[in-house]
Amino acid sequence: MRTLCASTLIGEVFVIGFAGLVAMQLSDLSTATIWTVSGIAMLLCVLLCGMLTRPGGIQLGWALQIALIASGLVVPTMFFLGAVFAALWWASVHFGRKIDEAKARWAAQAAAADPA
């Protein structure tokens, strides 16, 4: 699950960065405000990649997805992109858990079959 979720978060780093560039042109917010918020969001994405296996990591990811959708208030296209990344996040969590379960099942079968 960690690999799929981390891949989604790294993709979000780029989207947030590009959204910051667009927000500079479309909004009345100062450049410093836009880059402070965008920079914190990008940093959170990167830090969250390392926190995925810790308690609350997935929930923080969901909070980040909600914030990404809410950024559509500044850059309207982010409503769509945020929803796309929320769907990717759901798929990463859902299918990542299935993959982890399958790996654990295969490891248990291999351990049971190994006579040593």
Side-chain angles (χ1 to χ4, degrees), residues 16-49:
I16 293 168
F18 290 128
L21 293 171
V22 172
M24 286 176 33
Q25 300 298 318
L26 295 181
S27 74
D28 295 331
L29 297 171
S30 71
T31 303
T33 302
I34 290 170
W35 287 113
T36 300
V37 172
S38 297
I40 290 171
M42 290 188 291
L43 180 64
L44 285 174
C45 286
V46 172
L47 292 176
L48 191 55
C49 288

